PDB file of all heavy atoms in Angstrom:
ATOM      1  N   CYS A   8     144.467 165.994  58.286  1.00 89.00           N
ATOM      2  CA  CYS A   8     145.892 166.517  58.241  1.00 89.00           C
ATOM      3  C   CYS A   8     146.873 165.294  58.087  1.00 89.00           C
ATOM      4  O   CYS A   8     147.725 165.476  57.352  1.00 89.00           O
ATOM      5  CB  CYS A   8     146.207 167.304  59.532  1.00 89.00           C
ATOM      6  SG  CYS A   8     145.243 168.864  59.675  1.00 89.00           S
ATOM      7  N   THR A   9     146.585 164.322  58.747  1.00 90.00           N
ATOM      8  CA  THR A   9     147.484 163.040  58.646  1.00 90.00           C
ATOM      9  C   THR A   9     147.557 162.450  57.235  1.00 90.00           C
ATOM     10  O   THR A   9     148.522 161.975  56.733  1.00 90.00           O
ATOM     11  CB  THR A   9     147.095 161.972  59.579  1.00 90.00           C
ATOM     12  OG1 THR A   9     147.031 162.489  60.955  1.00 90.00           O
ATOM     13  CG2 THR A   9     147.914 160.751  59.615  1.00 90.00           C
ATOM     14  N   LEU A  10     146.371 162.560  56.601  1.00 91.00           N
ATOM     15  CA  LEU A  10     146.261 161.959  55.206  1.00 91.00           C
ATOM     16  C   LEU A  10     146.443 162.971  54.087  1.00 91.00           C
ATOM     17  O   LEU A  10     146.582 162.534  52.910  1.00 91.00           O
ATOM     18  CB  LEU A  10     144.921 161.293  55.088  1.00 91.00           C
ATOM     19  CG  LEU A  10     144.571 160.084  55.957  1.00 91.00           C
ATOM     20  CD1 LEU A  10     143.105 159.623  55.852  1.00 91.00           C
ATOM     21  CD2 LEU A  10     145.658 159.002  55.591  1.00 91.00           C
ATOM     22  N   ALA A  11     146.522 164.244  54.415  1.00 87.00           N
ATOM     23  CA  ALA A  11     146.477 165.279  53.331  1.00 87.00           C
ATOM     24  C   ALA A  11     147.621 165.210  52.378  1.00 87.00           C
ATOM     25  O   ALA A  11     147.442 165.341  51.183  1.00 87.00           O
ATOM     26  CB  ALA A  11     146.354 166.652  53.931  1.00 87.00           C
ATOM     27  N   ASN A  12     148.720 164.840  52.963  1.00 91.00           N
ATOM     28  CA  ASN A  12     149.966 164.797  52.135  1.00 91.00           C
ATOM     29  C   ASN A  12     149.996 163.576  51.194  1.00 91.00           C
ATOM     30  O   ASN A  12     150.732 163.386  50.220  1.00 91.00           O
ATOM     31  CB  ASN A  12     151.278 164.842  52.972  1.00 91.00           C
ATOM     32  CG  ASN A  12     151.417 163.549  53.742  1.00 91.00           C
ATOM     33  OD1 ASN A  12     150.429 162.833  54.048  1.00 91.00           O
ATOM     34  ND2 ASN A  12     152.616 163.408  54.150  1.00 91.00           N
ATOM     35  N   GLN A  13     148.999 162.584  51.451  1.00 94.00           N
ATOM     36  CA  GLN A  13     148.892 161.362  50.560  1.00 94.00           C
ATOM     37  C   GLN A  13     147.767 161.600  49.561  1.00 94.00           C
ATOM     38  O   GLN A  13     147.544 160.740  48.649  1.00 94.00           O
ATOM     39  CB  GLN A  13     148.691 160.236  51.371  1.00 94.00           C
ATOM     40  CG  GLN A  13     149.837 159.866  52.299  1.00 94.00           C
ATOM     41  CD  GLN A  13     149.605 158.816  53.313  1.00 94.00           C
ATOM     42  OE1 GLN A  13     148.807 157.892  52.893  1.00 94.00           O
ATOM     43  NE2 GLN A  13     150.098 158.922  54.503  1.00 94.00           N
ATOM     44  N   ALA A  14     146.903 162.628  49.736  1.00 94.00           N
ATOM     45  CA  ALA A  14     145.735 162.845  48.956  1.00 94.00           C
ATOM     46  C   ALA A  14     146.189 163.363  47.634  1.00 94.00           C
ATOM     47  O   ALA A  14     147.203 163.891  47.588  1.00 94.00           O
ATOM     48  CB  ALA A  14     144.726 163.740  49.608  1.00 94.00           C
ATOM     49  N   PRO A  15     145.379 163.330  46.558  1.00 96.00           N
ATOM     50  CA  PRO A  15     144.021 162.749  46.532  1.00 96.00           C
ATOM     51  C   PRO A  15     143.930 161.326  46.373  1.00 96.00           C
ATOM     52  O   PRO A  15     144.762 160.737  45.723  1.00 96.00           O
ATOM     53  CB  PRO A  15     143.349 163.638  45.345  1.00 96.00           C
ATOM     54  CG  PRO A  15     144.534 163.778  44.540  1.00 96.00           C
ATOM     55  CD  PRO A  15     145.695 164.010  45.284  1.00 96.00           C
ATOM     56  N   PHE A  16     142.849 160.759  46.846  1.00 97.00           N
ATOM     57  CA  PHE A  16     142.679 159.283  46.717  1.00 97.00           C
ATOM     58  C   PHE A  16     141.771 158.960  45.639  1.00 97.00           C
ATOM     59  O   PHE A  16     140.807 159.631  45.346  1.00 97.00           O
ATOM     60  CB  PHE A  16     142.220 158.698  48.025  1.00 97.00           C
ATOM     61  CG  PHE A  16     143.191 158.895  49.289  1.00 97.00           C
ATOM     62  CD1 PHE A  16     143.087 160.011  50.187  1.00 97.00           C
ATOM     63  CD2 PHE A  16     144.219 157.954  49.383  1.00 97.00           C
ATOM     64  CE1 PHE A  16     143.976 160.201  51.172  1.00 97.00           C
ATOM     65  CE2 PHE A  16     145.151 158.220  50.399  1.00 97.00           C
ATOM     66  CZ  PHE A  16     145.035 159.273  51.248  1.00 97.00           C
ATOM     67  N   ASP A  17     141.958 157.780  45.109  1.00 97.00           N
ATOM     68  CA  ASP A  17     140.950 157.153  44.181  1.00 97.00           C
ATOM     69  C   ASP A  17     139.709 156.634  44.883  1.00 97.00           C
ATOM     70  O   ASP A  17     138.541 156.857  44.228  1.00 97.00           O
ATOM     71  CB  ASP A  17     141.602 156.079  43.283  1.00 97.00           C
ATOM     72  CG  ASP A  17     142.774 156.542  42.468  1.00 97.00           C
ATOM     73  OD1 ASP A  17     142.537 157.510  41.705  1.00 97.00           O
ATOM     74  OD2 ASP A  17     143.808 155.827  42.474  1.00 97.00           O
ATOM     75  N   VAL A  18     139.919 156.028  45.967  1.00 97.00           N
ATOM     76  CA  VAL A  18     138.838 155.426  46.732  1.00 97.00           C
ATOM     77  C   VAL A  18     139.010 155.699  48.148  1.00 97.00           C
ATOM     78  O   VAL A  18     140.145 155.492  48.731  1.00 97.00           O
ATOM     79  CB  VAL A  18     138.768 153.868  46.423  1.00 97.00           C
ATOM     80  CG1 VAL A  18     137.662 153.287  47.231  1.00 97.00           C
ATOM     81  CG2 VAL A  18     138.585 153.512  44.914  1.00 97.00           C
ATOM     82  N   ILE A  19     137.916 155.919  48.829  1.00 97.00           N
ATOM     83  CA  ILE A  19     137.880 155.977  50.303  1.00 97.00           C
ATOM     84  C   ILE A  19     136.742 154.972  50.728  1.00 97.00           C
ATOM     85  O   ILE A  19     135.670 155.106  50.222  1.00 97.00           O
ATOM     86  CB  ILE A  19     137.709 157.333  50.906  1.00 97.00           C
ATOM     87  CG1 ILE A  19     138.859 158.212  50.497  1.00 97.00           C
ATOM     88  CG2 ILE A  19     137.494 157.306  52.395  1.00 97.00           C
ATOM     89  CD1 ILE A  19     138.815 159.603  50.969  1.00 97.00           C
ATOM     90  N   VAL A  20     136.976 154.050  51.656  1.00 97.00           N
ATOM     91  CA  VAL A  20     136.001 153.217  52.115  1.00 97.00           C
ATOM     92  C   VAL A  20     135.780 153.368  53.579  1.00 97.00           C
ATOM     93  O   VAL A  20     136.758 153.424  54.343  1.00 97.00           O
ATOM     94  CB  VAL A  20     136.299 151.699  51.788  1.00 97.00           C
ATOM     95  CG1 VAL A  20     135.298 150.751  52.336  1.00 97.00           C
ATOM     96  CG2 VAL A  20     136.553 151.482  50.306  1.00 97.00           C
ATOM     97  N   SER A  21     134.528 153.297  54.138  1.00 96.00           N
ATOM     98  CA  SER A  21     134.208 153.350  55.500  1.00 96.00           C
ATOM     99  C   SER A  21     133.223 152.114  55.785  1.00 96.00           C
ATOM    100  O   SER A  21     132.322 151.962  54.973  1.00 96.00           O
ATOM    101  CB  SER A  21     133.592 154.786  55.882  1.00 96.00           C
ATOM    102  OG  SER A  21     133.142 154.598  57.251  1.00 96.00           O
ATOM    103  N   GLY A  22     133.522 151.536  56.742  1.00 94.00           N
ATOM    104  CA  GLY A  22     132.727 150.301  57.064  1.00 94.00           C
ATOM    105  C   GLY A  22     132.274 150.238  58.451  1.00 94.00           C
ATOM    106  O   GLY A  22     132.977 150.151  59.408  1.00 94.00           O
ATOM    107  N   PHE A  23     131.009 150.524  58.693  1.00 93.00           N
ATOM    108  CA  PHE A  23     130.393 150.462  60.024  1.00 93.00           C
ATOM    109  C   PHE A  23     131.092 151.369  61.102  1.00 93.00           C
ATOM    110  O   PHE A  23     131.352 150.899  62.218  1.00 93.00           O
ATOM    111  CB  PHE A  23     130.153 149.022  60.519  1.00 93.00           C
ATOM    112  CG  PHE A  23     129.438 148.131  59.604  1.00 93.00           C
ATOM    113  CD1 PHE A  23     130.014 147.156  58.955  1.00 93.00           C
ATOM    114  CD2 PHE A  23     128.134 148.346  59.403  1.00 93.00           C
ATOM    115  CE1 PHE A  23     129.454 146.343  58.045  1.00 93.00           C
ATOM    116  CE2 PHE A  23     127.447 147.508  58.571  1.00 93.00           C
ATOM    117  CZ  PHE A  23     128.007 146.533  57.824  1.00 93.00           C
ATOM    118  N   ALA A  24     131.352 152.541  60.819  1.00 94.00           N
ATOM    119  CA  ALA A  24     132.084 153.466  61.642  1.00 94.00           C
ATOM    120  C   ALA A  24     131.393 154.830  61.759  1.00 94.00           C
ATOM    121  O   ALA A  24     131.231 155.346  62.978  1.00 94.00           O
ATOM    122  CB  ALA A  24     133.500 153.662  61.235  1.00 94.00           C
TER     123      ALA A  24
END
Side-chain angles (χ1 to χ4, degrees):
C8 294
T9 302
L10 296 174
N12 65 342
Q13 299 171 34
F16 296 98
D17 293 313
V18 178
I19 296 175
V20 178
S21 176
F23 301 113

